[in-house]
């Protein structure tokens, strides 16, 4: 295949269903995508496994990774570190897999700074009412928590202009297909095909010289 994979950062309001979309995408196109796994210093929750949901690290290990520049981006939330290990992402991209990172806006912009050809995608429900309905519909949180999430959504919406694509998650299957076609179309960008273009150009020159 020889072609390098594309790095896509997916962000979205909590309750936009982005996690579900990623799961479906990986299930439907198993050989094509790799979901990057974050490193964190928080403790595993019941049912979570090291290397599946997260790479669980001690604070010392994590700070060592920061010192060695082994993370593409990292942030600190409520006494815990979260970050994206570089080695995993690099090896998957080199293997030709399209790698998806699911992180919030600040992290997304850091990744784009480091890898300028990253595709930034923001996923949103069709509207604010629908977002509220989905959060309430989960039935797992109190109204206080839901209100806090909704006010956080206002903040989350402030960086959307920096993204390349804005995708509405209304019908799940359609959304999965849309995300897939956006990433696959990116493979056809001229800027990603310069080497091949030059190669074809050289071959064409060879023809005209051989006449």
């Amino acid at each position: 295949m020889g072609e390098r994979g594309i790095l896509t950062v997916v962000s979205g309001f909590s309750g936009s269903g982005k996690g579900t979309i990623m799961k479906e995408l990986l299930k439907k196109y198993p050989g094509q995508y790799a979901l990057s796994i974050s490193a964190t210093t928080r403790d595993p929750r019941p049912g979570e496994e090291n290397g599946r949901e997260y790479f669980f690290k001690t604070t010392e290990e994590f700070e060592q990774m920061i010192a060695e520049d082994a993370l593409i981006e990292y942030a600190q939330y409520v006494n815990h570190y979260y970050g994206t290990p570089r080695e995993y992402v690099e090896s998957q991209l080199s293997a030709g897999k399209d790698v998806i990172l699911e992180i919030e806006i600040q992290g997304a912009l850091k990744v784009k700074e480091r890898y300028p050809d990253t595709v930034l995608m923001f996923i949103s429900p069709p509207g604010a009412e629908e977002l509220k309905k989905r959060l309430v519909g989960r039935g797992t949180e109190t109204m206080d928590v839901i209100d806090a999430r909704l006010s956080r959504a206002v903040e989350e919406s402030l960086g959307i202009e920096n993204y390349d694509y804005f995708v509405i998650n209304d019908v799940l299957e359609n959304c999965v297909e849309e995300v897939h076609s956006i990433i696959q179309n990116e493979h056809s960008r001229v800027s990603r095909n310069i080497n091949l273009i030059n190669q074809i150009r050289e071959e064409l020159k060879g023809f005209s010289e051989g006449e």
Side-chain angles (χ1 to χ4, degrees):
M1 174 154 163
E3 192 184 359
R4 189 176 161 82
I6 286 173
L7 181 57
T8 302
V9 173
V10 174
S11 310
F13 300 121
S14 57
S16 61
K18 57 186 185 300
T20 312
I21 293 162
M22 299 307 108
K23 270 198 202 90
E24 287 301 310
L25 192 65
L26 267 77
K27 207 161 71 183
K28 197 165 177 187
Y29 303 100
Q32 180 79 57
Y33 296 103
L35 194 57
S36 167
I37 301 163
S38 298
T40 182
T41 55
R42 78 158 170 76
D43 294 330
R45 296 192 181 125
E48 287 183 336
E49 267 176 45
N50 187 38
R52 192 179 62 187
E53 283 81 12
Y54 284 99
F55 296 114
F56 293 102
K57 304 282 179 193
T58 65
T59 302
E60 290 73 24
E61 287 172 333
F62 200 101
E63 286 172 350
Q64 184 68 29
M65 287 177 86
I66 296 173
E68 290 169 359
D69 196 25
L71 297 160
I72 297 174
E73 58 79 39
Y74 69 92
Q76 210 170 355
Y77 296 105
V78 210
N79 308 328
H80 285 300
Y81 285 117
Y82 292 85
T84 305
R86 184 219 296 266
E87 192 187 347
Y88 180 82
V89 171
E90 284 285 352
S91 63
Q92 296 290 332
L93 289 173
S94 302
K97 289 219 174 182
D98 294 327
V99 178
I100 296 175
L101 286 184
E102 204 191 303
I103 48 181
E104 41 59 65
I105 288 187
Q106 285 74 16
L109 299 180
K110 283 184 199 167
V111 174
K112 183 91 171 178
E113 250 170 55
R114 192 152 205 173
Y115 297 95
D117 60 355
T118 298
V119 177
L120 298 186
M121 191 183 297
F122 196 93
I123 293 182
S124 171
E129 262 317 306
E130 178 63 23
L131 180 64
K132 184 170 185 175
K133 205 166 85 193
R134 287 183 196 180
L135 288 171
V136 173
R138 281 180 177 180
T140 48
E141 281 127 0
T142 62
M143 275 319 287
D144 284 354
V145 172
I146 289 167
D147 289 338
R149 284 199 159 186
L150 289 170
S151 60
R152 181 168 155 73
V154 175
E155 286 165 41
E156 287 170 336
S157 71
L158 296 177
I160 299 176
E161 297 78 14
N162 299 303
Y163 280 64
D164 302 305
Y165 294 96
F166 185 72
V167 178
I168 297 293
N169 179 17
D170 195 358
V171 180
L172 180 65
E173 300 80 81
N174 300 355
C175 187
V176 169
E177 272 316 293
E178 190 178 345
V179 169
H180 176 65
S181 9
I182 287 172
I183 297 172
Q184 296 321 304
N185 289 340
E186 280 286 329
H187 279 281
S188 306
R189 259 187 200 272
V190 165
S191 59
R192 294 186 199 274
N193 289 281
I194 294 299
N195 292 345
L196 179 60
I197 292 164
N198 286 336
Q199 184 190 325
I200 292 172
R201 197 179 278 152
E202 285 308 308
E203 286 168 8
L204 288 170
K205 278 185 195 159
F207 290 154
S208 57
E209 283 160 11
E211 276 169 17

